[in-house]
Amino acid sequence: MRYDFGSDNTAGMAPEALAALTQANDGFARAYGTDDVSARAADLIRQRLDAEAEVRFVFSGTAANSLALSMLAWPFEAVLAHHAAHVCTDETGAPGFFGQGVGLIGLPGFSGKVDVGALTAHLAETEVGHRQPPAALSLTQATEYGTVYTHDELKTLIDPVKARGHGVHMDGARLANAVAAGFDLKSIAGLGVDVLVLGGAKAGALCCEALVMFDTSLARRIDNRLKQAGQMASKGRFLAAPLLGLLETGAWESHAAHANAMARKLAEGIVTRSPHVLAHPVEANAVFVRMPAAAHQRLNEAGWACYRFDDGSVRFVCSWATTEAAVEELVETIAGIG
């Protein structure tokens, strides 16, 4: 089975990340994230964001998202998010676990983007003592359906949330792909995001996500929280080093641009050479295709791993390692299956 397009998690480490990991292995360093490698990576993130922030590195996006939401909502409160967001569909209740009961309220919206009307209506609902009231909004950039919020779209969603004194979290597991698509990384802090998860793993690092706290008051005793949650690496330099390598070389952005370009090439091939149609706009590194179950099965039987997503479409994800030859081979296979 070929996993080229199964997920951007199936690709190995990018060369720049692997080289940085090897370099970090030389000699001795302070433990538990107090090393120079972690400090340099944090500094580069602050530079990219053009903002002051507390930065820590954790092992997974699930942990990063869940810890972030636990900072923004009490156990008797809830977080608003798109109903297809990773926090709602793919984290096995981790936000509630880390948040000791924090709830999630799923909102509708086309192609993974929260609908403004639905958000406004929910914010206007009368709070009652029998339901968890919203205390924060979680947004995903790029979305689970491969679309990218514009600055104005984010502002329209965030402003009414902040006006009510609520917090805002951004899941940036594929933030590099959003940046490669034209999103301004330096706009995030000004939009009012309190906590950002800046993705490393899907960008070509190992198992590293950066927890970025623009509201530095949220970082009170953060190291205690990370230690208790099992998210403090004793050899922290190895957690941060691959992401540092991507940031120092510019590969964080350039590899994402390549992945996006491969997704566009794949989408064009499917549209022009097969009877199938796209389910969502292709703006980042994912392609969603309306494909009958029989065609999907034949594609799997032909050796291509691809999965049916929440909305019934079949998802193909490109990564830093996706080649043009692989895209062409996949398109030819899909065209042959019909």
Side-chain angles (χ1 to χ4, degrees):
M1 184 69 70
R2 292 186 60 170
Y3 293 91
D4 307 40
F5 301 91
S7 169
D8 36 11
N9 291 321
T10 63
M13 293 174 65
E16 299 84 355
L18 188 58
L21 182 63
T22 301
Q23 185 176 357
N25 193 46
D26 185 34
F28 296 84
R30 292 186 296 274
Y32 297 106
T34 62
D35 57 278
D36 292 341
V37 171
S38 298
R40 285 161 52 201
D43 283 342
L44 278 178
I45 288 171
R46 283 186 281 265
Q47 289 175 25
R48 287 290 206 286
L49 295 166
D50 192 24
E52 288 301 316
E54 284 285 341
V55 180
R56 298 292 188 276
F57 302 99
V58 299
F59 292 101
S60 74
T62 293
N65 287 335
S66 301
L67 286 164
L69 298 187
S70 75
M71 297 174 184
L72 300 177
W74 289 100
F76 51 84
E77 295 176 325
V79 175
L80 298 160
H82 192 278
H83 65 76
H86 204 269
V87 295
C88 291
T89 63
D90 290 284
E91 296 186 353
T92 323
F97 176 78
F98 281 86
Q100 299 181 317
V102 165
L104 295 167
I105 300 171
L107 297 174
F110 292 113
S111 300
K113 293 182 178 181
V114 172
D115 179 75
V116 177
L119 173 65
T120 303
H122 207 290
L123 290 173
E125 286 187 6
T126 302
E127 292 186 11
V128 298
H130 305 284
R131 292 192 296 272
Q132 290 172 295
L137 171 67
S138 177
L139 296 166
T140 307
Q141 180 73 321
T143 74
E144 298 296 337
Y145 285 108
T147 54
V148 177
Y149 283 105
T150 66
H151 174 277
D152 289 346
E153 286 173 333
L154 288 172
K155 182 174 173 57
T156 300
L157 293 168
I158 291 173
D159 282 356
V161 171
K162 300 298 287 188
R164 286 165 174 77
H166 298 337
V168 176
H169 156 256
M170 179 176 284
D171 178 354
R174 295 187 175 94
L175 186 58
N177 300 100
V179 171
F183 178 66
D184 182 6
L185 199 60
K186 294 181 178 180
S187 70
I188 297 175
L191 281 165
V193 174
D194 297 291
V195 190
L196 164 71
V197 175
L198 185 142
K202 290 176 172 60
L206 186 54
C207 51
C208 176
E209 309 294 300
L211 188 62
V212 183
M213 294 155 278
F214 297 107
D215 179 353
T216 56
S217 69
L218 298 173
R220 180 176 179 269
R221 294 178 176 169
I222 182 61
D223 294 320
N224 305 83
R225 179 174 290 203
L226 294 179
K227 183 67 173 178
Q228 184 185 63
Q231 292 297 317
M232 180 178 284
S234 57
K235 297 185 179 182
R237 56 177 161 159
F238 299 119
L239 196 57
L243 183 53
L244 173 64
L246 294 174
L247 292 170
E248 279 189 326
T249 61
W252 190 76
E253 294 91 347
S254 63
H255 283 324
H258 169 78
N260 290 4
M262 292 299 97
R264 292 193 299 271
K265 180 178 177 68
L266 175 59
E268 181 181 359
I270 291 172
V271 168
T272 58
R273 297 185 55 194
S274 84
H276 309 304
V277 298
L278 302 180
H280 303 282
V282 178
E283 297 173 353
N285 65 321
V287 180
F288 293 81
V289 182
R290 296 292 179 199
M291 182 180 292
H296 181 210
Q297 182 178 348
R298 287 197 295 272
L299 188 58
N300 287 157
E301 290 171 350
W304 295 94
C306 52
Y307 308 99
R308 197 165 292 277
F309 215 62
D310 299 16
D311 69 333
S313 62
V314 177
R315 186 187 76 163
F316 303 87
V317 186
C318 299
S319 72
W320 70 267
T322 302
T323 64
E324 291 195 20
V327 172
E328 291 165 0
E329 188 176 349
L330 175 59
V331 169
E332 185 174 345
T333 305
I334 293 173
I337 288 172

